[in-house]
Amino acid sequence: MQNQLIPLKDRWLALLLAWLVPGAGHFYQGRLFKGAVYSVCILGLFLTGLAMADWSTVNPPDFSQRFSDNKVLMLKYGAQMGVGAPGLWGIAQSRRFYSEDNHRLTSISSPMTSNFEGWYLPYGSKQNDFHSIIYKFDSADDDFKLKTPIEDGDKVPAAGTLELKPIQLASGPSIEAHFQGKINGEDFNGALGRVSIEKPVRSSSERLILVAVEDPQTQRYLGTLVASMPRPLWNHVCSPILSGEEHRMHGKYGNYLEIWSVCTWIAGLLNLLAMADAFYGPAYGYGDKPSTSNPNPPPPGPAPAT
């Protein structure tokens, strides 16, 4: 039942605002206290569940597929869509992730510099060429910091500063790489060879970079430097999670991952109640409606003369 005692203004606009940002519809109606409660509680619950799992509990599906092919993921994401703007960002991330433009890069538009601790994979009997190593990492579909497709005995520690600059070659745009640091405890300071940078949009907060180390005199391939750079927040928050990454997250967080996911679902469903409150106003039961009669009637006048 709609409460006529509270000015709800444009109820459809309030409903839209309440969905886009929890509490915004109530702020628009001047219901500041209730708006603050909805905003803090619903957004706080949603962002807590999202942040505790490396900003990866929102897993938007591939919308080019049929609903029946991915109905469980669709239903999970549907509950998270109740929060509004974060859900809309998941749709944008899904389109970006599955787009043809989201691929490994061999050229960049501006310089990149990062300090890192990674590995050097020397070329030997167990290692193939640079492109084969790229294929192994892509096929692993995992966070290279926690697990790699390369056997532990084949890699040695490397740490330092990696600088990447865009250059123009006769064959087209490319990347110039320079590394200064230590490889297996020995100092290294020099230019490197071919560079392959992981696709921009992915759920991992680190962006994998593979650099071919070549002999400066003979250009002979010596091995591969495995480094990383931080991925911008807008390129990994609410990005789709592939199966290998999901298994890795379950191994890292255990049952807590499900708890944090449920937090985001509950937040989305709670916001549906907040939207109803913004549209209809607060509910009340029969007998609760304030009386419209004057609680202080005027005193009776003098008795008529007889």
Side-chain angles (χ1 to χ4, degrees):
M1 186 179 296
Q2 182 179 343
N3 191 333
Q4 300 291 345
L5 300 179
I6 296 178
L8 300 180
K9 299 185 179 180
D10 187 333
R11 295 189 297 149
W12 290 103
L13 178 57
L15 180 69
L16 177 62
L17 293 175
W19 173 62
L20 285 175
V21 180
H26 296 79
F27 287 127
Y28 161 71
Q29 294 171 332
R31 303 159 69 187
L32 303 183
F33 177 76
K34 184 168 281 189
V37 170
Y38 282 136
S39 181
V40 171
C41 294
I42 295 176
L43 283 178
L45 181 63
F46 182 86
L47 293 176
T48 298
L50 186 61
M52 293 299 288
D54 300 333
W55 304 96
S56 297
T57 44
V58 175
N59 185 12
D62 183 359
F63 292 97
S64 63
Q65 297 181 357
R66 296 179 302 176
F67 176 80
S68 58
D69 294 336
N70 211 359
K71 57 185 177 182
V72 175
L73 188 57
M74 288 280 194
L75 291 173
K76 291 179 180 180
Y77 182 67
Q80 295 167 335
M81 274 288 293
V83 182
L88 291 177
W89 179 244
I91 295 177
Q93 288 291 67
S94 177
R95 293 183 179 276
R96 296 177 67 207
F97 181 81
Y98 291 108
S99 115
E100 295 181 354
D101 296 331
N102 192 38
H103 55 75
R104 279 192 169 273
L105 302 180
T106 55
S107 63
I108 55 177
S109 57
S110 58
M112 302 170 64
T113 302
S114 179
N115 298 322
F116 78 97
E117 291 185 5
W119 308 301
Y120 172 67
L121 310 175
Y123 181 72
S125 58
K126 294 184 179 180
Q127 297 296 342
N128 296 317
D129 59 15
F130 183 59
H131 295 289
S132 297
I133 292 178
I134 292 176
Y135 175 77
K136 288 181 179 180
F137 273 94
D138 288 345
S139 300
D141 183 24
D142 208 339
D143 188 335
F144 85 99
K145 276 192 168 182
L146 302 175
K147 179 181 177 182
T148 71
I150 309 299
E151 297 180 11
D152 290 339
D154 296 332
K155 59 191 180 185
V156 296
T161 302
L162 181 65
E163 298 180 357
L164 305 178
K165 297 180 180 179
I167 59 172
Q168 185 68 33
L169 301 178
S171 56
S174 185
I175 303 174
E176 180 181 79
H178 185 276
F179 173 72
Q180 181 177 1
K182 292 182 178 293
I183 296 179
N184 203 20
E186 298 182 2
D187 292 334
F188 185 98
N189 187 357
L192 304 177
R194 295 160 290 172
V195 179
S196 179
I197 305 177
E198 190 182 31
K199 54 190 176 184
V201 181
R202 189 186 169 191
S203 59
S204 172
S205 61
E206 294 289 329
R207 191 174 182 185
L208 178 65
I209 301 174
L210 302 177
V211 188
V213 180
E214 300 174 347
D215 187 290
Q217 304 297 328
T218 63
Q219 303 300 312
R220 184 172 63 90
Y221 172 68
L222 302 177
T224 301
L225 185 68
V226 182
S228 72
M229 289 185 177
R231 181 177 270 110
L233 196 64
W234 58 86
N235 277 348
H236 77 87
V237 172
C238 300
S239 176
I241 306 169
L242 299 180
S243 58
E245 294 172 318
E246 187 173 10
H247 292 321
R248 186 266 300 173
M249 290 175 62
H250 276 286
K252 180 179 180 181
Y253 296 114
N255 293 331
Y256 288 105
L257 181 63
E258 298 298 332
I259 296 174
W260 296 327
S261 297
V262 169
C263 288
T264 62
W265 305 341
I266 293 176
L269 297 176
L270 284 177
N271 199 41
L272 297 181
L273 300 177
M275 292 164 58
D277 184 83
F279 187 80
Y280 292 107
Y284 57 90
Y286 290 104
D288 295 337
K289 186 175 181 180
S291 173
T292 56
S293 61
N294 190 347
N296 299 310
T306 57

